[in-house]
Amino acid sequence: MTFAFFCAVAPRFASASNLENLMAGYAFIAIVAMGQAFAIIVRGIDLSVGAIVALAAMVALDASLLLQLPGWAVLLLAVTVATLAGAVNGLLVAGLGLQPFIATLATLAAYRGLVFAISGRQLMPELSTTPITDPWIIGLETFFDLGSALDLPGALSLPAIPMSFVVMLVLLVLFQTLLSRSRFGHELLAIGGNPEAARLAGIPVARGVVLAYTLSGLCAGIAALLLLARLTTATESLGNGLELTAIAGAVIGGVSVRGGSGSLWGPVLGTFLLGVVLLGLTLYGISQFVQQILTGAVLLAAVAHARWLVRRHAADHAT
């Protein structure tokens, strides 16, 4: 309905180029939202995902332009750093018993500071205008032209499919299978539903929490590489505010903020629903400031709706 509404009222919304922008612009956010969902499912939250994106991208920039490492090594190094950053979050929450909000807020600040400390753009200002040209990294920004592949007539224009969207689909299938078909996934849902009951049932709660945050870091690292390939550079402010959009996508997609329920399909659909709304408003001429207000309003409405569903479910059981 939302898509149909903007097709009717927003000029150029139902065009192939706009659909390409939607897929390329929100695929990496959907990947971050999937990682965020793992943290929320175990009753946590990861406020540091935007900073981890910036950290992984800056590591890749330094490794590629300063250290001249081969592209495959750059990709591996950046994803490893992001995954370790997520694991640190998990250790702070599960090992030290810190509240997820406090722990990830602290690492958000620490990772942002680390980005400035290692920034190749600060060490060598000429790198600010030097793009990354390594084919291993730039290749992530490839587009697949379906119209040419299917030999369609020129009048029938189909959107090209970005590599980032394909990567997102592959991760979605893998992570959804992990969550819904594996013992590990069932343990995460049990931990989020009732940590004490899960512990009494013999489930390693701390290990599950650490791995959930590690997966969140892994997703942020993959998203960072896709974003780096698109921009061909990394800045210190990369990923600013990304945590809010990722949390909104996960909650709108039905991941319970109380933990214990949700899927990976939901955050992807929630993120693209948010993308449809924001792109539609942009084409309709609504300012960026109003869009940020609406993003917050949509997040509040999604949380309120989830709480209403929980209360109604409890009332049904009581009667």
XYZ file of all heavy atoms in Angstrom, residues 118-194:
584
model
N 43.023 6.308 13.858
C 43.688 5.536 12.800
C 43.409 6.094 11.405
O 43.854 5.513 10.414
C 43.238 4.062 12.831
C 41.766 3.938 12.449
C 43.509 3.430 14.192
C 41.318 2.509 12.219
N 42.684 7.214 11.339
C 42.267 7.728 10.036
C 43.458 8.077 9.137
O 44.257 8.972 9.450
C 41.390 8.973 10.229
O 41.130 9.565 8.966
N 43.549 7.386 8.019
C 44.577 7.714 7.052
C 44.391 9.094 6.460
O 45.353 9.748 6.050
N 43.143 9.571 6.461
C 42.857 10.910 5.947
C 43.451 11.979 6.857
O 43.784 13.073 6.406
C 41.344 11.102 5.835
C 40.698 10.190 4.804
C 39.207 10.039 5.071
N 38.534 11.314 5.111
C 37.925 11.876 4.077
N 37.916 11.255 2.905
N 37.312 13.016 4.188
N 43.568 11.673 8.181
C 44.179 12.614 9.113
C 45.707 12.552 9.017
O 46.395 13.565 9.116
C 43.740 12.282 10.549
C 42.239 12.308 10.768
C 41.675 13.717 10.812
O 42.392 14.656 11.133
N 40.405 13.870 10.460
N 46.231 11.321 8.848
C 47.680 11.138 8.792
C 48.264 11.665 7.489
O 49.344 12.252 7.463
C 48.014 9.653 8.954
C 47.570 9.010 10.282
C 47.784 7.510 10.236
C 48.324 9.631 11.443
N 47.552 11.419 6.384
C 48.011 11.865 5.065
C 46.830 12.534 4.358
O 46.029 11.859 3.715
C 48.521 10.662 4.248
C 49.687 9.929 4.915
S 50.245 8.506 3.962
C 50.911 9.328 2.499
N 46.700 13.866 4.478
C 45.525 14.575 3.949
C 45.278 14.324 2.459
O 44.130 14.434 1.997
C 45.867 16.044 4.214
C 46.793 16.005 5.388
C 47.603 14.760 5.225
N 46.328 13.991 1.707
C 46.111 13.761 0.273
C 45.220 12.550 0.009
O 44.645 12.412 -1.075
C 47.449 13.586 -0.458
C 48.285 12.410 -0.006
C 49.236 12.789 1.121
O 48.939 13.757 1.836
O 50.262 12.115 1.287
N 45.090 11.660 1.003
C 44.225 10.501 0.828
C 42.741 10.883 0.791
O 41.908 10.083 0.378
C 44.455 9.489 1.956
C 45.812 8.764 1.975
C 45.833 7.735 3.087
C 46.080 8.105 0.636
N 42.438 12.121 1.226
C 41.038 12.574 1.219
C 40.469 12.593 -0.185
O 39.255 12.464 -0.380
C 40.936 13.976 1.838
O 41.410 13.964 3.159
N 41.336 12.786 -1.157
C 40.858 12.854 -2.547
C 41.332 11.658 -3.374
O 41.232 11.679 -4.594
C 41.359 14.153 -3.201
O 42.790 14.215 -3.096
C 40.739 15.369 -2.525
N 41.876 10.632 -2.688
C 42.347 9.445 -3.409
C 41.313 8.330 -3.296
O 41.074 7.824 -2.194
C 43.688 8.946 -2.821
O 44.626 10.017 -2.834
C 44.217 7.767 -3.631
N 40.691 7.942 -4.399
C 39.679 6.883 -4.315
C 40.320 5.503 -4.266
O 41.449 5.307 -4.735
C 38.881 7.065 -5.611
C 39.876 7.632 -6.565
C 40.809 8.496 -5.758
N 39.599 4.561 -3.688
C 40.029 3.164 -3.696
C 39.714 2.576 -5.070
O 38.601 2.732 -5.586
C 39.307 2.379 -2.591
C 39.798 2.848 -1.222
C 39.524 0.880 -2.745
C 39.096 2.176 -0.062
N 40.701 1.926 -5.652
C 40.509 1.375 -7.006
C 40.700 -0.138 -7.057
O 40.615 -0.724 -8.132
C 41.506 2.027 -7.986
O 42.845 1.826 -7.498
C 41.236 3.520 -8.115
N 40.945 -0.763 -5.915
C 41.174 -2.207 -5.907
C 39.927 -2.932 -6.425
O 38.823 -2.722 -5.918
C 41.482 -2.674 -4.476
C 41.968 -4.114 -4.452
O 41.166 -5.016 -4.751
O 43.152 -4.330 -4.143
N 40.086 -3.803 -7.430
C 38.905 -4.481 -8.015
C 38.175 -5.386 -7.038
O 36.969 -5.612 -7.191
C 39.509 -5.268 -9.180
C 40.975 -5.346 -8.911
C 41.325 -4.137 -8.134
N 38.868 -5.926 -6.022
C 38.187 -6.766 -5.024
C 37.142 -5.953 -4.268
O 36.087 -6.479 -3.898
C 39.200 -7.332 -4.030
C 39.966 -8.513 -4.535
C 41.065 -8.491 -5.341
C 39.690 -9.899 -4.269
N 41.495 -9.766 -5.587
C 40.678 -10.651 -4.942
C 38.722 -10.561 -3.528
C 40.706 -12.044 -4.897
C 38.747 -11.947 -3.469
C 39.726 -12.667 -4.157
N 37.452 -4.684 -3.996
C 36.526 -3.827 -3.237
C 35.512 -3.171 -4.163
O 34.305 -3.217 -3.922
C 37.327 -2.755 -2.459
C 38.331 -3.428 -1.525
C 36.390 -1.847 -1.682
C 39.280 -2.469 -0.847
N 36.001 -2.561 -5.245
C 35.106 -1.867 -6.170
C 34.121 -2.837 -6.815
O 33.000 -2.468 -7.165
C 35.930 -1.126 -7.247
C 36.882 -0.142 -6.589
C 35.024 -0.390 -8.218
C 36.185 0.850 -5.684
N 34.520 -4.102 -6.950
C 33.634 -5.099 -7.556
C 32.353 -5.315 -6.780
O 31.356 -5.816 -7.334
N 32.333 -4.939 -5.497
C 31.108 -5.081 -4.697
C 30.018 -4.108 -5.146
O 28.871 -4.232 -4.729
C 31.425 -4.844 -3.216
C 32.355 -5.873 -2.555
C 32.708 -5.442 -1.146
C 31.685 -7.243 -2.542
N 30.374 -3.135 -5.964
C 29.398 -2.154 -6.443
C 28.892 -2.512 -7.844
O 28.320 -1.703 -8.557
C 30.030 -0.753 -6.430
C 29.135 0.414 -6.792
C 27.923 0.594 -5.874
O 27.825 -0.116 -4.878
O 27.085 1.450 -6.185
N 29.074 -3.764 -8.245
C 28.613 -4.209 -9.563
C 27.090 -4.229 -9.635
O 26.414 -4.524 -8.653
C 29.157 -5.634 -9.843
O 30.571 -5.603 -9.739
C 28.733 -6.124 -11.212
N 26.561 -3.913 -10.822
C 25.124 -3.996 -11.078
C 24.876 -5.048 -12.157
O 25.622 -5.119 -13.131
C 24.559 -2.642 -11.539
C 24.360 -1.654 -10.425
C 25.437 -1.048 -9.804
C 23.086 -1.329 -9.995
C 25.265 -0.153 -8.770
C 22.887 -0.421 -8.965
C 23.983 0.167 -8.351
N 23.826 -5.862 -11.991
C 23.460 -6.882 -12.972
C 22.269 -6.381 -13.783
O 21.176 -6.164 -13.242
C 23.114 -8.198 -12.277
C 24.234 -8.730 -11.420
C 24.206 -8.590 -10.030
C 25.328 -9.361 -11.995
C 25.246 -9.062 -9.250
C 26.376 -9.837 -11.210
C 26.327 -9.688 -9.836
N 22.482 -6.205 -15.071
C 21.447 -5.659 -15.947
C 20.511 -6.779 -16.395
O 20.820 -7.540 -17.319
C 22.107 -4.999 -17.163
C 21.093 -4.223 -17.994
O 19.872 -4.388 -17.754
O 21.517 -3.483 -18.888
N 19.344 -6.878 -15.748
C 18.395 -7.942 -16.075
C 17.804 -7.771 -17.468
O 17.548 -8.742 -18.179
C 17.259 -7.953 -15.045
C 17.595 -8.522 -13.664
C 16.354 -8.500 -12.785
C 18.128 -9.934 -13.771
N 17.577 -6.503 -17.873
C 16.987 -6.254 -19.182
C 17.841 -6.805 -20.306
O 17.343 -7.460 -21.223
N 19.162 -6.575 -20.222
C 20.059 -7.084 -21.257
C 20.188 -8.601 -21.162
O 20.249 -9.301 -22.179
C 21.440 -6.437 -21.118
O 21.350 -5.045 -21.270
N 20.235 -9.126 -19.927
C 20.393 -10.562 -19.752
C 19.200 -11.333 -20.317
O 19.351 -12.416 -20.882
C 20.579 -10.890 -18.279
N 18.006 -10.757 -20.152
C 16.785 -11.425 -20.648
C 16.448 -11.015 -22.073
O 15.442 -11.474 -22.623
C 15.608 -11.087 -19.722
C 15.770 -11.548 -18.258
C 14.597 -11.058 -17.415
C 15.849 -13.079 -18.197
N 17.288 -10.119 -22.666
C 17.092 -9.641 -24.035
C 15.697 -9.035 -24.215
O 14.967 -9.358 -25.155
C 17.299 -10.790 -25.028
C 17.524 -10.251 -26.441
O 17.896 -9.066 -26.556
O 17.304 -11.002 -27.411
N 15.313 -8.162 -23.274
C 14.003 -7.524 -23.335
C 14.050 -6.330 -24.277
O 15.103 -5.725 -24.473
C 13.591 -7.055 -21.935
C 13.372 -8.158 -20.898
C 13.070 -7.547 -19.538
C 12.226 -9.075 -21.315
N 12.919 -5.965 -24.891
C 12.901 -4.776 -25.748
C 13.190 -3.515 -24.955
O 12.947 -3.447 -23.746
C 11.460 -4.766 -26.290
C 10.678 -5.634 -25.358
C 11.629 -6.657 -24.820
N 13.737 -2.508 -25.620
C 14.169 -1.279 -24.959
C 13.047 -0.541 -24.254
O 13.288 0.151 -23.274
N 11.815 -0.689 -24.733
C 10.691 0.022 -24.124
C 10.374 -0.509 -22.730
O 9.775 0.184 -21.898
C 9.451 -0.095 -25.007
N 10.768 -1.783 -22.463
C 10.492 -2.388 -21.165
C 11.736 -2.266 -20.294
O 12.693 -3.018 -20.435
C 10.104 -3.856 -21.347
C 9.636 -4.599 -20.081
C 8.443 -3.907 -19.455
C 9.306 -6.041 -20.413
N 11.737 -1.290 -19.385
C 12.925 -1.000 -18.581
C 12.826 -1.684 -17.223
O 11.879 -1.458 -16.457
C 13.050 0.516 -18.400
O 14.145 0.817 -17.591
N 13.797 -2.548 -16.937
C 13.868 -3.206 -15.629
C 15.035 -2.627 -14.843
O 16.055 -2.259 -15.420
C 14.064 -4.720 -15.797
C 12.875 -5.525 -16.304
C 13.253 -6.998 -16.418
C 11.676 -5.377 -15.392
N 14.900 -2.552 -13.511
C 16.025 -2.038 -12.716
C 17.185 -3.021 -12.715
O 16.977 -4.242 -12.696
C 15.415 -1.899 -11.313
C 14.290 -2.877 -11.280
C 13.735 -2.916 -12.680
N 18.409 -2.500 -12.748
C 19.589 -3.347 -12.586
C 19.694 -3.750 -11.113
O 19.375 -2.968 -10.223
C 20.840 -2.590 -13.021
N 20.115 -4.990 -10.874
C 20.202 -5.501 -9.503
C 21.610 -5.269 -8.963
O 22.583 -5.794 -9.507
C 19.878 -7.012 -9.461
C 18.539 -7.289 -10.122
C 19.889 -7.503 -8.015
C 17.358 -6.625 -9.448
N 21.745 -4.485 -7.895
C 23.094 -4.230 -7.341
C 23.627 -5.456 -6.596
O 22.865 -6.218 -6.000
C 22.874 -3.055 -6.391
C 21.432 -3.091 -6.049
C 20.710 -3.702 -7.208
N 24.958 -5.609 -6.621
C 25.606 -6.711 -5.906
C 25.268 -6.663 -4.419
O 25.114 -7.705 -3.765
C 27.115 -6.629 -6.105
C 27.913 -7.608 -5.287
S 27.685 -9.308 -5.808
C 28.930 -9.373 -7.116
N 25.150 -5.453 -3.860
C 24.850 -5.322 -2.428
C 23.508 -5.964 -2.096
O 23.340 -6.562 -1.024
C 24.842 -3.853 -2.016
O 23.917 -3.110 -2.777
N 22.547 -5.864 -3.011
C 21.235 -6.474 -2.782
C 21.341 -7.996 -2.817
O 20.700 -8.693 -2.014
C 20.251 -5.986 -3.855
C 18.819 -6.370 -3.599
C 18.067 -5.690 -2.650
C 18.227 -7.397 -4.296
C 16.747 -6.037 -2.401
C 16.910 -7.757 -4.062
C 16.171 -7.071 -3.112
N 22.183 -8.520 -3.721
C 22.388 -9.974 -3.802
C 23.055 -10.479 -2.521
O 22.660 -11.512 -1.963
C 23.243 -10.324 -5.035
C 23.539 -11.826 -5.073
C 22.539 -9.893 -6.310
N 24.065 -9.739 -2.048
C 24.739 -10.113 -0.792
C 23.743 -10.131 0.361
O 23.736 -11.046 1.196
C 25.893 -9.127 -0.496
C 26.469 -9.367 0.901
C 26.980 -9.261 -1.544
N 22.860 -9.132 0.378
C 21.853 -9.072 1.449
C 20.941 -10.297 1.413
O 20.626 -10.888 2.455
C 21.023 -7.789 1.296
C 19.986 -7.584 2.391
S 18.539 -6.721 1.776
C 17.805 -7.943 0.693
N 20.513 -10.689 0.199
C 19.625 -11.857 0.070
C 20.328 -13.135 0.547
O 19.714 -13.967 1.232
C 19.164 -12.009 -1.382
C 18.198 -10.943 -1.906
C 17.865 -11.215 -3.378
C 16.914 -10.913 -1.081
N 21.592 -13.288 0.179
C 22.349 -14.482 0.605
C 22.455 -14.529 2.130
O 22.218 -15.568 2.765
C 23.754 -14.481 -0.038
C 24.616 -15.594 0.560
C 23.642 -14.662 -1.546
N 22.799 -13.375 2.740
C 22.902 -13.324 4.202
C 21.551 -13.573 4.862
O 21.480 -14.235 5.909
C 23.445 -11.960 4.637
C 24.904 -11.668 4.279
C 25.267 -10.239 4.683
C 25.840 -12.650 4.976
N 20.493 -13.063 4.245
C 19.152 -13.264 4.805
C 18.815 -14.751 4.873
O 18.335 -15.247 5.900
C 18.123 -12.515 3.947
C 16.654 -12.771 4.276
C 16.339 -12.381 5.719
C 15.749 -12.005 3.304
N 19.074 -15.472 3.793
C 18.783 -16.913 3.773
C 19.632 -17.650 4.812
O 19.130 -18.486 5.573
C 19.022 -17.487 2.361
C 18.903 -19.009 2.375
C 18.036 -16.883 1.366
N 20.922 -17.312 4.868
C 21.822 -17.979 5.814
C 21.413 -17.710 7.265
O 21.296 -18.641 8.083
C 23.266 -17.503 5.586
C 23.955 -17.982 4.314
C 25.333 -17.347 4.186
C 24.085 -19.500 4.317
N 21.177 -16.439 7.596
C 20.877 -16.081 8.986
C 19.484 -16.560 9.406
O 19.283 -16.953 10.561
C 21.004 -14.568 9.181
C 22.426 -14.083 9.181
C 22.751 -12.818 8.709
C 23.450 -14.887 9.657
C 24.056 -12.366 8.714
C 24.764 -14.449 9.662
C 25.063 -13.184 9.190
N 18.516 -16.502 8.475
C 17.181 -16.983 8.829
C 17.209 -18.488 9.081
O 16.566 -18.991 10.009
C 16.180 -16.636 7.717
C 14.749 -17.071 8.017
C 14.193 -16.423 9.279
O 14.360 -15.227 9.501
N 13.555 -17.216 10.133
N 17.969 -19.204 8.260
C 18.125 -20.651 8.477
C 18.799 -20.915 9.811
O 18.396 -21.808 10.567
C 18.956 -21.268 7.333
O 18.318 -20.978 6.082
C 19.077 -22.780 7.502
N 19.824 -20.107 10.116
C 20.525 -20.260 11.394
C 19.586 -20.026 12.571
O 19.614 -20.773 13.569
C 21.692 -19.261 11.457
C 22.527 -19.242 12.740
C 23.356 -20.514 12.855
C 23.434 -18.010 12.767
N 18.738 -19.009 12.457
C 17.854 -18.656 13.576
C 16.704 -19.643 13.751
O 16.339 -19.993 14.873
C 17.303 -17.232 13.362
C 16.423 -16.681 14.490
C 17.257 -16.485 15.765
C 15.778 -15.360 14.085
N 16.126 -20.079 12.643
C 14.889 -20.873 12.743
C 15.107 -22.378 12.629
O 14.252 -23.145 13.048
C 13.901 -20.427 11.659
O 14.451 -20.640 10.373
N 16.251 -22.815 12.091
C 16.430 -24.250 11.854
C 17.568 -24.868 12.667
O 17.759 -26.076 12.596
C 16.703 -24.496 10.363
C 15.601 -24.037 9.433
C 14.357 -24.879 9.648
N 13.270 -24.451 8.780
C 13.084 -24.894 7.539
N 13.921 -25.783 7.045
N 12.080 -24.446 6.820
N 18.319 -24.053 13.380
C 19.479 -24.619 14.088
C 19.253 -24.580 15.602
O 18.447 -23.791 16.114
C 20.750 -23.838 13.744
O 20.748 -22.568 14.369
N 19.988 -25.417 16.304
C 19.924 -25.420 17.770
C 20.384 -24.090 18.337
O 19.813 -23.587 19.317
C 20.800 -26.555 18.303
C 20.813 -26.641 19.816
C 21.612 -27.828 20.294
N 21.691 -27.864 21.746
C 22.292 -28.812 22.431
N 22.882 -29.818 21.781
N 22.316 -28.776 23.747
N 21.417 -23.512 17.700
C 21.928 -22.218 18.161
C 20.836 -21.148 18.091
O 20.663 -20.344 19.027
C 23.124 -21.814 17.315
C 23.593 -20.399 17.537
C 24.195 -20.032 18.728
C 23.405 -19.429 16.556
C 24.615 -18.727 18.948
C 23.820 -18.119 16.765
C 24.422 -17.771 17.963
N 20.078 -21.124 16.989
C 19.012 -20.135 16.849
C 17.927 -20.316 17.895
O 17.426 -19.340 18.480
N 17.551 -21.558 18.140
C 16.530 -21.821 19.163
C 17.028 -21.409 20.550
O 16.239 -20.926 21.375
C 16.157 -23.305 19.141
C 15.490 -23.720 17.854
N 15.441 -25.022 17.417
C 14.875 -22.983 16.897
C 14.809 -25.078 16.260
N 14.462 -23.847 15.923
N 18.329 -21.588 20.784
C 18.883 -21.169 22.077
C 18.818 -19.645 22.225
O 18.519 -19.136 23.314
C 20.326 -21.652 22.197
C 20.454 -23.153 22.412
C 21.899 -23.622 22.525
O 22.810 -22.791 22.292
O 22.105 -24.811 22.820
N 19.103 -18.913 21.143
C 19.017 -17.444 21.216
C 17.600 -17.001 21.550
O 17.389 -16.104 22.383
C 19.449 -16.825 19.884
C 20.931 -16.888 19.507
C 21.174 -16.083 18.230
C 21.818 -16.360 20.627
N 16.614 -17.618 20.902
C 15.218 -17.253 21.180
C 14.844 -17.598 22.620
O 14.121 -16.847 23.289
C 14.294 -17.979 20.198
C 14.418 -17.536 18.725
C 13.671 -18.488 17.805
C 13.883 -16.113 18.552
N 15.358 -18.735 23.120
C 15.076 -19.122 24.509
C 15.725 -18.157 25.488
O 15.125 -17.775 26.502
C 15.568 -20.547 24.752
N 16.953 -17.731 25.194
C 17.650 -16.767 26.061
C 16.877 -15.455 26.118
O 16.694 -14.869 27.189
C 19.089 -16.536 25.543
C 19.931 -17.805 25.723
C 19.741 -15.359 26.265
C 21.269 -17.758 25.015
N 16.411 -14.993 24.972
C 15.659 -13.741 24.936
C 14.302 -13.868 25.614
O 13.826 -12.922 26.249
N 13.682 -15.040 25.501
C 12.368 -15.238 26.112
C 12.437 -15.261 27.629
O 11.624 -14.622 28.311
N 13.406 -15.967 28.190
C 13.561 -16.037 29.651
C 14.976 -16.523 29.957
O 15.246 -17.728 29.948
C 12.532 -16.991 30.252
C 12.504 -16.915 31.776
O 13.525 -16.676 32.417
N 11.322 -17.090 32.348
